[in-house]
Amino acid sequence: MRAIVCQQYGPPEDLVLQELPDPTPGPGTVVVRVRAAAVNFPDVLLIDGKYQLKIPPPFTPGSELAGDVIAVGDGVDMQPGDRVVGTSFVGAFAEQALLPAATVTTIPDGIDYAAAAGFGVTYRTAYHALRSIAQVTQGDWVVVLGAAGGVGLAAVDLAVAMGARVLAAASSPEKLAVCRERGAEATIDYDREDLKTRIREITADGAQAVLDPVGGAYAERALRSLARGGRFVTLGYAAGSIPAIPLNLVMLKGITVQGMEIRTFADDHPAENERDLAELAQLFSEGRVSPYIGARFPLADAGAALRYVADRKAVGKVIIDV
């Protein structure tokens, strides 16, 4: 099979396309013929050795995929030909992937491979953050930073479905136009407008929640715009710098600041995780939410796809067609 390989830590341009042996399933595992894989910002960090967890090279990057089961190991209740979506820390950017059966689920009828591949990580992250951490309710003003990115646009989609009022903040008119198409009630171009002032003007009394997958200079400005008792959820640092928050702001307004990390959420919050996943699956299967796919690349151009994400050009999800 063909696979993208990170032979040593470095930029996306260093990735190579190689022929590797086809995987063989063992007990409790399946082999999936990959049809589509999604690119996430942590993939960029992983290949550069800058993620919180390091995978020693060589390895095949990519954490979420969709395709067809082609082989199953003992104890697996699946059949060759089943259309499935799966997640794995690495291994998705290849023609075949070996996955634990527990990480693989059937794709609902009527949903294509690209949508299925692009749904899992970003939508789970956004829904856990909105539902369980920020505890967003109908009518709340929710500010989404980096709103045109993968997690950001998923948060816009889901917050609208939850009945919240969404204020999307992003870095260009073109990105904000997509956010409005996806249901954002208001938008802010934070490269051209003062973020704190505009949030206060739009929301009148301040926002009830901020979701921040970006970090950098905009985090404190958004935090200052929260209403009394508001919730600030930090999800990542795509801007490249981790913000320092003055704690007196948190004290004076009774703000809650909390982090959410998708790898550990199920272990830290098992009951909420089970509830959230059931609700999210229903929203997806009913067609009430679905990822916006902004760009697609062939497998041989996976490095270009990762560069596209690294340079913050992506709007919604970037898909690799395999």
Side-chain angles (χ1 to χ4, degrees):
M1 68 166 185
R2 296 185 308 155
I4 296 296
V5 178
C6 174
Q7 296 178 323
Q8 59 186 13
Y9 292 137
E13 291 75 17
D14 289 352
L15 296 173
V16 296
L17 182 66
Q18 290 185 197
E19 285 285 341
L20 298 179
D22 292 349
T24 302
T29 65
V30 300
V31 177
V32 176
R33 171 59 175 96
V34 181
R35 303 296 180 184
V39 181
N40 294 291
F41 187 72
D43 299 327
V44 177
L45 300 179
L46 270 172
I47 65 169
D48 205 19
K50 295 179 179 178
Y51 194 63
Q52 294 97 317
L53 297 179
K54 288 183 169 53
I55 302 295
F59 64 89
T60 292
S63 60
E64 54 184 342
L65 60 89
D68 306 303
V69 174
I70 57 175
V72 300
D74 292 340
V76 175
D77 187 21
M78 292 181 183
Q79 301 296 324
D82 287 349
R83 298 174 68 246
V84 296
V85 59
T87 57
S88 177
F89 198 49
V90 292
F93 299 164
E95 290 179 328
Q96 297 181 30
L98 178 67
L99 301 170
T103 67
V104 175
T105 57
T106 302
I107 298 174
D109 292 340
I111 294 174
D112 65 22
Y113 294 115
F119 184 76
V121 171
T122 54
Y123 273 76
R124 288 201 309 273
T125 299
Y127 197 66
H128 291 324
L130 290 164
R131 178 76 163 92
S132 293
I133 306 302
Q135 299 178 17
V136 168
T137 59
Q138 187 170 357
D140 282 352
W141 271 111
V142 177
V143 175
V144 181
L145 304 183
V151 171
L153 210 49
V156 170
D157 202 16
L158 288 165
V160 170
M162 296 168 70
R165 306 178 72 181
V166 177
L167 199 171
S171 59
S172 74
E174 295 77 17
K175 291 180 177 180
L176 293 174
V178 175
C179 294
R180 288 191 293 271
E181 290 172 10
R182 301 293 282 189
E185 182 175 336
T187 57
I188 298 173
D189 184 336
Y190 49 38
D191 279 355
R192 295 167 178 82
E193 302 177 84
D194 183 85
L195 184 64
K196 184 188 78 169
T197 300
R198 291 292 292 131
I199 292 173
R200 298 292 296 185
E201 289 174 350
I202 292 167
T203 63
D205 294 326
Q208 281 70 51
V210 170
L211 266 63
D212 180 15
V214 179
Y218 300 121
E220 182 180 332
R221 299 173 199 172
L223 185 139
R224 287 179 180 273
S225 75
L226 279 168
R228 178 167 294 279
R231 287 87 67 193
F232 185 100
V233 185
T234 178
L235 298 170
Y237 310 102
S241 61
I242 299 173
I245 299 297
L247 289 180
N248 64 309
L249 299 178
V250 177
M251 178 190 71
L252 292 172
K253 299 176 73 173
I255 290 168
T256 298
V257 178
Q258 189 167 346
M260 203 290 292
E261 211 276 325
I262 189 64
R263 289 184 308 104
T264 57
F265 183 83
D267 291 334
D268 294 340
H269 308 280
E272 291 87 347
N273 180 69
E274 184 175 354
R275 178 202 63 196
D276 291 357
L277 292 183
E279 294 174 355
L280 190 55
Q282 184 172 352
L283 288 169
F284 189 41
S285 63
E286 291 175 351
R288 295 177 59 194
V289 296
S290 183
Y292 178 90
I293 297 172
R296 303 177 78 144
F297 294 79
L299 180 63
D301 292 340
L306 285 159
R307 170 55 63 195
Y308 194 76
V309 171
D311 289 346
R312 299 179 64 188
K313 294 179 179 178
V315 177
K317 293 298 295 186
V318 173
I319 296 296
I320 294 173
D321 294 302
V322 183

